[in-house]
Amino acid sequence: MSRMEQQKRRLYEMCAMAIAAGRADLDGASRVGFDIDLPVFSVGRAAELAAVHPQTLRQYDRSGLVVPQRTSGGARRYSLRDVDRLIQAQRMSQRDGINLTGIARILNLEEENRQLRRQLRAARADDRVSVFTADMDGRITEMRRCRRARHWRHRLQTQTRELAAGASYRPAEAHSKSVVLWRTNHR
């Protein structure tokens, strides 16, 4: 293992210890650049960080509560997200007496809530108008902004043309049922 990999692993361990101590959370770790899904920790190290017995990790894996990633050899590797789930599951089980089904439901709802908060933060941080595309199946994706797109949009706004009332243009070979909507900003 190279020196850089050792330092990276040590940083991830420090982050996991901060999460275990309640001084950090996954949102904060993600914001400062940690890949919270990177499989870093072995079964023994994850168990140590989460203060659980290694057999408990195997039980959680079998029940689907915390499913770690696997190496090509089949060894379990736990991420920061997995360690956080282990810590929370242990607390709910020991302190609150919640069964594994209830813990799984709570953890899934908390993860969904975290994802929604992340999306909300991203939407609030980007006060520009976003451009979206939709494919034939109805999947909607946000387009990346680029200079060409801005130039193209500017040309559309400055080179408008009038259409006769009721007129529409639809070539005979067009089979798409896509609709393009846009709003012009008047300044």
Side-chain angles (χ1 to χ4, degrees), residues 25-28 31 109-124:
D25 62 9
L26 288 180
D27 290 333
R31 274 194 302 272
L109 288 172
E110 285 181 353
E111 179 59 26
E112 184 179 327
N113 190 4
R114 192 186 72 72
Q115 293 291 341
L116 290 171
R117 282 193 315 267
R118 187 179 53 81
Q119 290 173 2
L120 183 60
R121 250 190 331 275
R124 285 182 177 159

Side-chain angles (χ1 to χ4, degrees), residues 54-79:
Q55 192 60 38
T56 305
L57 273 66
R58 294 179 183 94
Q59 179 186 0
Y60 286 172
D61 185 12
R62 281 192 299 274
S63 68
L65 185 64
V66 179
V67 181
Q69 298 177 43
R70 303 275 181 153
T71 64
S72 58
R76 293 175 176 93
R77 288 290 181 257
Y78 290 84
S79 66

Side-chain angles (χ1 to χ4, degrees), residues 101-165:
T101 305
I103 292 170
R105 180 72 177 136
I106 291 168
L107 292 176
N108 289 338
L109 288 172
E110 285 181 353
E111 179 59 26
E112 184 179 327
N113 190 4
R114 192 186 72 72
Q115 293 291 341
L116 290 171
R117 282 193 315 267
R118 187 179 53 81
Q119 290 173 2
L120 183 60
R121 250 190 331 275
R124 285 182 177 159
D126 186 18
D127 58 352
R128 304 176 308 224
V129 175
S130 296
V131 178
F132 296 89
T133 62
D135 63 10
M136 300 266 305
D137 296 328
R139 290 184 299 253
I140 299 174
T141 57
E142 185 174 6
M143 297 293 295
R144 291 198 177 274
R145 297 180 154 273
C146 66
R147 230 179 249 163
R148 278 181 82 189
R150 281 194 296 269
H151 177 70
W152 177 75
R153 229 176 15 256
H154 177 70
R155 280 194 5 209
L156 279 180
Q157 290 176 350
T158 58
Q159 297 176 354
T160 57
R161 60 181 181 186
E162 295 291 325
L163 292 177

Side-chain angles (χ1 to χ4, degrees), residues 12-26 48-51 80 83-84 86-88 91 95:
Y12 274 84
E13 286 184 7
M14 290 169 53
C15 183
M17 287 187 278
I19 289 171
R23 294 188 315 264
D25 62 9
L26 288 180
E48 187 179 326
L49 290 166
L80 285 174
V83 170
D84 182 60
L86 289 169
I87 293 165
Q88 291 183 48
R91 284 180 187 157
R95 187 186 64 200

Side-chain angles (χ1 to χ4, degrees), residues 30-50:
S30 180
R31 274 194 302 272
V32 297
F34 283 97
D35 179 356
I36 60 175
D37 293 316
L38 183 69
V40 179
F41 308 109
S42 65
V43 171
R45 188 62 184 136
E48 187 179 326
L49 290 166

